[in-house]
Amino acid sequence: MSLEHSTQSELGSSAPSFSLPGVDGSTYSLETFKNSKALLVVFMCNHCPYVIAVHERLNRIAEDYASKGVAVIGINSNDPNYKDADSFENMKRTAKEWALSFPYVFDESQSVAHAYDAVCTPDPYLYENVNGNFVLRYRGRIDDSWKDESKVKEQSLRHAIEGVLVGMAPRSNQIPSMGCSIKWKELTAQKLAEKAKAAVQAEVDVAKSGNDQ
C-alpha cells in the first residue's frame, strides 16, 4: 500500500466534465447534478483501508446534506488489472455491502482521474454550482482522524460544505487528504513486468541448480 497525499488544486477552477457508468446501471455526468447547489466528487475504491475506514462518514455526509441541495458522487479510477477487488463487478457488490447513499461510478480509462489530477483514495473535491458552472471551493481531508472517528476534532469537509451553502469564501489553508495511491495502468504494466522478470529469474535459478547437481 503506497500512501499519498492529495495536491492543492486551483480554487475557483471549473470541474472537468465526465460521463461515467454507475453501479446502478445509470450514466452520470455534471449535467446530472445541474440542479444541485454543490457537488462533492470523491475519488475512492473498494479495497483501500483509508476508504473502508471513512465510507460510513461519506454516507452520512451525503444523507445529511441531500435535503440542502448537496450531491455526492464516488468515482473509482483504479485499474482492476492491478487489483481485482476494484473491478466494476466488485464495485456493485461493495455499493450494496456499504449501502452507499450516492452514485458510485467507474472511470475505466482513468481519463477523469487525470483531468481532475486525482492522487489518492479518498480524494474529495467540493464544487459550488455558480450559474450552472461547478466551481472548486475545497479539496482536502474529510476530517482529522481517518482511522478512528471517535477521535475526530475537526470536521474539515463538513465545514467546507457549510461554508459553500452560506456563501462564505473558502479557506486558503486546506489540509490535504491522504490515502492509497490511485492504481494507474502504468503501475499495472510495471507490476506485470516485474512479475515476468521474477519468473524468468526463477527459471534461471532452477536451471542453474539442476546443472550444479
Side-chain angles (χ1 to χ4, degrees):
M1 179 178 67
S2 176
L3 175 62
E4 298 284 351
H5 291 79
S6 62
T7 55
Q8 181 60 63
S9 297
E10 181 181 357
L11 298 180
S13 59
S14 297
S17 62
F18 60 81
S19 180
L20 298 171
V23 297
D24 60 356
S26 299
T27 298
Y28 292 87
S29 66
L30 291 179
E31 182 70 13
T32 305
F33 309 102
K34 63 181 181 181
N35 294 321
S36 299
K37 294 179 181 178
L39 174 63
L40 175 62
V41 177
V42 183
F43 287 87
M44 54 185 282
C45 65
N46 306 328
H47 86 278
C48 174
Y50 293 87
V51 176
I52 292 171
V54 301
H55 76 268
E56 291 182 353
R57 277 171 258 186
L58 290 172
N59 256 350
R60 287 198 297 274
I61 286 173
E63 292 163 359
D64 291 347
Y65 290 100
S67 62
K68 298 180 180 181
V70 179
V72 179
I73 186 169
I75 301 177
N76 174 24
S77 299
N78 277 2
D79 181 5
N81 292 315
Y82 186 94
K83 195 78 173 180
D84 182 64
D86 288 327
S87 70
F88 191 57
E89 287 305 311
N90 283 321
M91 285 175 63
K92 294 177 181 179
R93 283 189 280 271
T94 298
K96 289 182 180 179
E97 180 183 338
W98 293 353
L100 291 182
S101 54
F102 52 87
Y104 191 23
V105 300
F106 188 33
D107 174 27
E108 184 175 11
S109 71
Q110 302 186 326
S111 61
V112 176
H114 281 298
Y116 279 75
D117 196 26
V119 174
C120 56
T121 55
D123 199 346
Y125 299 67
L126 177 64
Y127 292 91
E128 179 183 7
N129 188 343
V130 180
N131 299 320
N133 180 34
F134 285 102
V135 178
L136 184 65
R137 298 304 188 204
Y138 178 82
R139 181 186 180 187
R141 67 184 185 180
I142 295 170
D143 52 48
D144 61 350
S145 181
W146 72 269
K147 195 171 187 178
D148 186 351
E149 189 176 6
S150 68
K151 296 181 179 179
V152 170
K153 296 180 180 179
E154 173 70 27
Q155 294 278 4
S156 308
L157 180 54
R158 283 180 177 266
H159 290 166
I161 294 172
E162 293 288 350
V164 166
L165 291 175
V166 297
M168 287 179 56
R171 295 180 182 179
S172 58
N173 58 332
Q174 299 181 1
I175 300 175
S177 179
M178 59 186 287
C180 304
S181 62
I182 288 181
K183 301 303 182 280
W184 303 106
K185 295 181 185 295
E186 293 84 355
L187 285 177
T188 302
Q190 179 182 347
K191 180 181 179 181
L192 292 175
E194 290 174 352
K195 185 175 180 180
K197 183 178 179 180
V200 170
Q201 186 59 52
E203 291 180 1
V204 170
D205 291 343
V206 168
K208 182 178 179 181
S209 176
N211 293 333
D212 290 341
Q213 292 179 359

